[in-house]
Amino acid sequence: MSARGHRVDLYLTRPRLPGPVMRIDRAAPFASLAGPRLVRAGRYVAATEPRAAVASIARAVLPGGMMRGARHRHNDVVLGSYITNDEAGWIARRIAADRPDAILIDTVFRAALLERPELGGEDRARSVVITHDVFHRRHAALKLAGYRVEPAELSRAQEAAALGRAGALVAIQPDEAGLLREMCPGVQVISVPMPAAPAPRPAGVMRNPDRLVFVGSDNLPNLDGLRWFFEAIWPGLRSGRPSIRLDLAGDCGAAIGRLPSGVRRLGRVADLAPALHRAALAIAPLRAGSGLKVKLLDYARHGLWTVATGEARSGLADDRRAPVFVAESPSSFGATVLAALAQRPEDADALGYVTRHYAAAQIFAPLTDLLEDGPG
């Protein structure tokens, strides 16, 4: 939007900066950055509350799993935290003063902004909530599995009421767009998944035929899927192919605890390309979740095929040439991994898939049209 000549102002409801002080690059795509607990001096932004400053330092030096344990020790999974009245009021007053052409709101957890009296009917009509997930479905699945979830309650009716105040909704994949239309029949809904730019393997870089890779944060669906994979699938794979190895990139490795033989932690890496270009295959053994599993797009844009559960595959564009082998049971998952390694699927097929379905201009066109023409 900035490149199209629009001014973009960014408001942070909570001061979760990458460090105690953040330097804003001159090339930043937003005109201003502000929030109810931020202070800015020139090109530098800092949190005004000590707790946020300490958390920023901790995020810079501690693995994500340790941070999660410290912040949310009474919950197994945190779906989101609702915006407070003070935070919503601070932002609503600035929106009312600036009168922007469009208001983008990040998830249902900040949709309470639309309840503020400072905002009129026109403001609500110009608002667009980016949903990421249909959260009440994920909430119900996690509660049913016995996990402690924050927020403690999130029903379909509650989510529909919060989202129904918006002028339009953005779903991350078509199936969830259909669910949102059923929940909020009077609200316009469009589907805007993540874009994926092809990153082909450099000449001379070879894939290791015994190397698997998994990329993931320390969120519960990732950890649950990895534990299932290690307990039910990995021993059989190692027995049938002792040379096989698995790399874990991201905070999942630190959070999972002790790893079985043949599995290596990479941790957070500045560039995923080397790991994804050298692996022969990716895995996505997820058994829960919603939205779009962006890791599968990351794999595909690096020319990498994936063995995935149906849950992990859901949300991706329908295409018989999608670079994903689907397997559900432990025996079929392991057998599919071995068969795919023997087959050595082509990078070009994965790169072609993301080019056909996830080019940035194609992905963002519905959102660009919505913001420039207005909901309706």
Side-chain angles (χ1 to χ4, degrees), residues 148-181:
R148 296 167 299 177
V149 186
E150 183 183 326
E153 294 184 7
L154 180 56
S155 67
R156 183 182 189 274
Q158 288 171 323
E159 188 169 18
L163 296 177
R165 300 184 184 96
L169 303 174
V170 174
I172 199 169
Q173 46 110 319
D175 291 342
E176 292 197 348
L179 292 172
L180 291 170
R181 291 187 185 101

Side-chain angles (χ1 to χ4, degrees), residues 52-212:
V54 170
S56 295
I57 295 172
R59 272 192 294 275
V61 300
L62 294 178
M66 295 177 67
M67 278 296 297
R68 186 180 300 276
R71 291 196 309 268
H72 305 296
R73 60 174 55 94
H74 300 301
N75 296 286
D76 297 310
V77 60
V78 178
L79 295 183
S81 298
Y82 288 107
I83 191 173
T84 67
N85 287 332
D86 288 344
E87 292 162 349
W90 190 96
I91 294 172
R93 288 189 290 275
R94 279 151 185 79
I95 289 175
D98 291 343
R99 306 290 297 169
D101 296 322
I103 305 165
L104 288 173
I105 299 173
D106 183 39
T107 79
V108 67
F109 297 108
R110 274 155 284 283
L113 172 68
L114 297 174
E115 300 177 30
R116 295 296 306 185
E118 295 90 341
L119 302 183
E122 291 185 1
D123 294 312
R124 294 180 179 86
R126 291 193 294 265
S127 66
V128 180
V129 177
I130 303 174
T131 64
H132 296 264
D133 290 276
V134 179
F135 278 106
H136 78 271
R137 298 178 74 238
R138 178 181 286 200
H139 190 279
L142 291 168
K143 294 280 281 189
L144 186 63
Y147 292 110
R148 296 167 299 177
V149 186
E150 183 183 326
E153 294 184 7
L154 180 56
S155 67
R156 183 182 189 274
Q158 288 171 323
E159 188 169 18
L163 296 177
R165 300 184 184 96
L169 303 174
V170 174
I172 199 169
Q173 46 110 319
D175 291 342
E176 292 197 348
L179 292 172
L180 291 170
R181 291 187 185 101
E182 293 176 4
M183 291 167 54
C184 306
V187 181
Q188 182 179 359
V189 181
I190 62 172
S191 178
V192 182
M194 289 287 290
R201 183 161 45 99
V205 175
M206 304 298 293
R207 295 199 179 277
N208 184 331
D210 290 316
R211 182 70 63 185
L212 307 179

Side-chain angles (χ1 to χ4, degrees), residues 1 102 104 128-130 168-170 190-192 361-374:
M1 299 309 295
L104 288 173
V128 180
V129 177
I130 303 174
L169 303 174
V170 174
I190 62 172
S191 178
V192 182
Q362 173 185 346
I363 289 295
F364 287 127
L367 181 59
T368 300
D369 292 343
L370 177 70
L371 295 179
E372 294 186 341
D373 298 338

